[in-house]
């Protein structure tokens, strides 16, 4: 496997080099956190597709295909649907706000009183998303080097923390583009056709497997509905996704670039399910469905190609991990720490802003690695994160965008009632049950509408300023060095 090892080592070294190069461009808060809001369509599409298609979409998507057949595509498919909905209906307005976090958007819409609580919920979600992505390194490095779990997490996590800390969003964008290309070649162009051929083609696959493996709804209607609630709606409101929207050069880039990325996700979903189905023919009795990806790569691919496909899996994990890490650090610094201390930094202190955000990425990265080492049940941790995100924040965020009668009191009540309902229902029904997100979301909606109607409407001046920002007519509060960066040609 010397050639495979060389491919992986070159890939990892390239990620660190990208981080060092990105550090030279991240000279202001805007450059560091949102790549100067200057990404063109090509880079925007690639980096958006990279962040939403992580280890769960790659290794987990193949595992669902192994377990359920073609209907195993639904989890990743609903992620693609969420990205399409975000891009078509909301991304242009989100990009015009010129903010850094979801909580800043809530403050603008409701008058500055909803940010801290929503920031805590969003921080918990992004932290657990980064943790679960980091744990996936253990699986990949175990296949590659038969490496100890803790060492694998430290190695993979340290590389992501290093390039994210060095250059912020610029480094992450550059590495995401490489990761996007590697995933496309490794999974779609190499592993997919090789797996189908090794399994004897589609005719042989149909002959070997039960008919339900080729039923598009075989995974079950209730499961599909839950995926839509958690992943499709989760795509609409996650800080990790919004922070990528903030990098877009303009409305058109956000809308059409995101649409291309969402369409790519749909194709990736089908590819993962087909690979998993082929693996079921080749290895009908694996101990765990999640072993399907590593097994078919290790046993069926030729030397060199195997290294590239494993690099693709590593790329998938790293893209999600780095995106969640910078989102977690941005929320921790801008929405929680600065608010609690009452810090309002003048715009001229741009260098301090960059150093402060860089320090928070490093601190959050170390916390993520430590938590990943200590945590065993990845599925439960990720389920808690998504349940809190959707149950607590979906209604006040979409309500703020769509319903002008919503108030700050209604938003706070929605976050509190929805979050507490989700926690209580998870304790009653179990963390992996469907009921917590169903009933938590309904409770959040009821609280939002009832309290908003029972309280005074949002101040007219606040709503007027909000409409100006949505229309892109109000000045943004980015750092002063933006005027310098605008002279640099937009990234394509």
């Amino acid at each position: 496997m010397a050639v495979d090892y060389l491919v992986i080592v070159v890939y990892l070294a390239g990620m660190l080099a990208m981080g060092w190069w990105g550090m030279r461009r991240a000279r202001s808060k805007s450059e560091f956190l949102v790549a100067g809001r200057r990404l063109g369509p090509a880079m925007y599409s690639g980096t958006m597709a990279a962040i939403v298609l992580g280890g769960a979409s790659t290794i987990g998507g193949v595992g669902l295909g192994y377990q359920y057949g073609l209907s195993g595509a639904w989890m990743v498919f609903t992620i693609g649907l969420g990205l399409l909905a975000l891009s078509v209906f909301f991304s242009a307005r989100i990009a015009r706000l010129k903010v850094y976090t979801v909580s800043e958007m809530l403050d603008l819409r409701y008058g500055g009183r909803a940010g801290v609580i929503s920031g805590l919920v969003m921080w918990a979600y992004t932290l657990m998303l980064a943790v679960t992505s980091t744990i996936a390194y253990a699986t990949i490095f175990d296949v590659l080097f038969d490496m100890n779990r803790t060492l694998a997490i430290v190695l993979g996590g340290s590389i992501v923390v290093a390039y994210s800390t060095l250059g912020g969003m610029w480094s992450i964008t550059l590495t995401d583009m490489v990761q996007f290309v590697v995933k496309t070649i490794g999974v779609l162009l190499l592993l997919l056709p090789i797996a189908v051929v090794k399994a004897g083609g589609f005719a042989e696959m149909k002959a070997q497997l039960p008919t339900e493996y080729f039923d598009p709804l075989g995974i079950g209607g209730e499961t599909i509905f839950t995926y839509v609630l958690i992943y499709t709606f989760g795509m609409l409101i996650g800080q990790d996704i919004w922070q990528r929207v903030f990098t877009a050069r303009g409305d058109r880039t956000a809308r059409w670039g995101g649409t291309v990325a969402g369409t790519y996700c749909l194709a990736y979903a089908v590819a993962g399910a087909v690979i998993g189905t082929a693996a079921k023919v080749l290895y009908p009795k694996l101990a765990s469905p999640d072993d399907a990806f590593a097994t078919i790569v290790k046993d069926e691919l030729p030397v060199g190609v195997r290294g590239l496909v494993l690099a693709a899996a590593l790329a998938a994990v790293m893209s999600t991990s780095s995106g969640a890490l910078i989102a977690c650090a941005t929320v921790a610094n801008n929405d929680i720490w600065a608010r609690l201390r009452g810090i309002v930094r003048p715009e001229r202190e741009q260098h301090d802003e960059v150093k402060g955000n860089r320090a928070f990425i490093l601190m959050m990265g170390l916390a993520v690695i430590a938590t990943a080492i200590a945590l065993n049940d990845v599925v439960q941790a990720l389920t808690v994160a998504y349940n809190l995100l959707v149950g607590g924040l979906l209604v006040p965020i979409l309500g703020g965008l769509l319903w002008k009668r919503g108030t700050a009191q209604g938003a706070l009540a929605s976050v509190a009632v929805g979050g507490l309902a989700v926690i209580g229902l998870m304790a009653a029904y179990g963390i992996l049950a469907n009921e917590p997100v169903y009933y938590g979301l309904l409770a959040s909606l009821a609280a939002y509408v009832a309290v908003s109607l029972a309280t005074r409407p949002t101040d007219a001046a606040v709503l007027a300023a909000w409409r100006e920002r949505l229309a892109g007519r109000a000045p943004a509060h980015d750092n002063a060095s933006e005027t310098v960066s605008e002279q640099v040609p937009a990234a394509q």
Side-chain angles (χ1 to χ4, degrees):
M1 293 184 67
V3 176
D4 296 326
Y5 293 161
L6 180 62
V7 171
I8 298 296
V9 170
V10 169
Y11 167 76
L12 294 176
M15 295 300 98
L16 292 174
M18 291 289 185
W20 183 261
W21 190 86
M23 182 175 65
R24 300 172 60 189
R25 302 198 65 166
R27 298 184 298 269
S28 70
K29 178 180 178 181
S30 177
E31 294 281 355
F32 191 82
L33 294 182
V34 290
R37 307 187 195 276
R38 293 189 288 110
L39 295 191
M43 289 193 76
Y44 180 84
S45 297
T47 190
M48 184 63 86
I51 188 175
V52 299
L53 296 174
S57 300
T58 304
I59 299 171
V62 171
L64 287 172
Y66 182 89
Q67 188 172 1
Y68 298 104
L70 298 185
S71 66
W74 273 106
M75 183 188 77
V76 183
F77 203 84
T78 55
I79 290 174
L81 292 178
L83 186 51
L84 285 172
L86 174 70
S87 302
V88 173
F89 298 113
F90 300 107
S91 63
R93 284 185 285 176
I94 292 170
R96 289 187 211 122
L97 291 174
K98 302 296 184 186
V99 295
Y100 293 104
T101 68
V102 174
S103 295
E104 288 180 29
M105 167 264 169
L106 292 173
D107 279 350
L108 281 172
R109 168 60 181 82
Y110 295 113
R113 287 170 286 179
V116 175
I117 295 178
S118 62
L120 287 170
V121 175
M122 190 65 75
W123 175 79
Y125 157 73
T126 54
L127 178 70
M128 295 315 302
L129 184 61
V131 166
T132 52
S133 301
T134 302
I135 291 174
Y137 297 129
T139 301
I140 299 171
F141 283 114
D142 178 58
V143 175
L144 281 170
F145 307 116
D146 192 23
M147 187 179 291
N148 172 269
R149 177 183 183 274
T150 298
L151 183 58
I153 290 172
V154 171
L155 175 61
S158 296
I159 293 171
V160 169
V161 172
Y163 72 68
S164 301
T165 302
L166 285 172
M169 187 59 82
W170 267 122
S171 293
I172 292 171
T173 298
L174 295 171
T175 55
D176 277 357
M177 286 305 300
V178 175
Q179 290 158 357
F180 171 74
V181 172
V182 170
K183 280 192 288 191
T184 302
I185 296 174
V187 175
L188 296 184
L189 302 184
L190 292 176
L191 183 57
L192 174 61
I194 290 174
V196 172
V197 169
K198 291 285 186 178
F202 284 104
E204 182 65 19
M205 289 163 63
K206 286 186 176 181
Q208 292 286 335
L209 297 173
T211 56
E212 55 263 28
Y213 264 72
F214 302 91
D215 179 359
L217 303 179
I219 199 170
E222 185 177 357
T223 299
I224 295 171
F225 181 66
T226 303
Y227 284 159
V228 170
L229 279 185
I230 293 177
Y231 297 113
T232 301
F233 287 123
M235 288 295 106
L236 298 181
I237 59 175
Q239 169 69 24
D240 51 326
I241 309 301
W242 277 40
Q243 200 156 342
R244 298 310 172 96
V245 176
F246 300 151
T247 66
R249 185 173 61 193
D251 294 2
R252 186 177 179 84
T253 297
R255 183 180 293 113
W256 294 110
T259 300
V260 170
T263 305
Y264 178 89
C265 291
L266 303 183
Y268 201 89
V270 175
V274 171
I275 293 168
T277 305
K280 183 67 174 179
V281 174
L282 295 168
Y283 312 100
K285 295 183 179 180
L286 290 178
S288 168
D290 285 342
D291 293 338
F293 180 89
T295 302
I296 197 170
V297 169
K298 191 173 184 178
D299 294 349
E300 303 298 336
L301 298 186
V303 172
V305 173
R306 179 171 50 208
L308 183 59
V309 173
L310 286 171
L314 197 57
V317 175
M318 283 186 161
S319 58
T320 299
S321 181
S322 60
L325 176 59
I326 193 171
C328 178
T330 303
V331 171
N333 188 19
N334 292 269
D335 291 339
I336 300 174
W337 179 247
R339 293 169 190 260
L340 292 177
R341 290 189 59 188
I343 295 175
V344 180
R345 296 185 185 274
E347 291 186 1
R348 64 177 178 272
E349 295 184 13
Q350 298 149 27
H351 186 62
D352 287 343
E353 289 279 15
V354 172
K355 288 197 297 184
N357 283 288
R358 183 173 281 136
F360 264 87
I361 290 181
L362 179 59
M363 288 189 292
M364 291 299 104
L366 295 175
V368 164
I369 292 172
T371 307
I373 292 171
L375 197 64
N376 289 318
D377 201 325
V378 181
V379 175
Q380 289 197 4
L382 194 59
T383 301
V384 170
Y386 268 102
N387 282 352
L388 283 173
L389 176 71
V390 174
L393 291 180
L394 178 67
V395 170
I397 292 172
L398 294 189
L401 290 169
L402 301 174
W403 190 41
K404 66 179 181 180
R405 186 60 180 83
T407 66
Q409 294 88 344
L412 289 171
S414 178
V415 174
V417 171
L420 291 173
V422 164
I423 293 171
L425 290 165
M426 283 191 293
Y429 287 96
I431 289 176
L432 299 180
N434 293 327
E435 287 83 359
V437 71
Y438 294 169
Y439 300 139
L441 195 54
L442 289 174
S444 179
L445 177 61
Y448 181 71
V449 173
V451 175
S452 292
L453 293 176
T455 53
R456 295 180 60 182
T458 303
D459 186 86
V462 172
L463 287 178
W466 165 253
R467 286 191 292 269
E468 288 294 300
R469 288 292 285 269
L470 275 181
R473 293 191 292 265
H477 297 292
D478 286 344
N479 291 315
S481 66
E482 288 279 350
T483 56
V484 177
S485 66
E486 284 171 0
Q487 299 171 14
V488 182
Q492 295 297 323

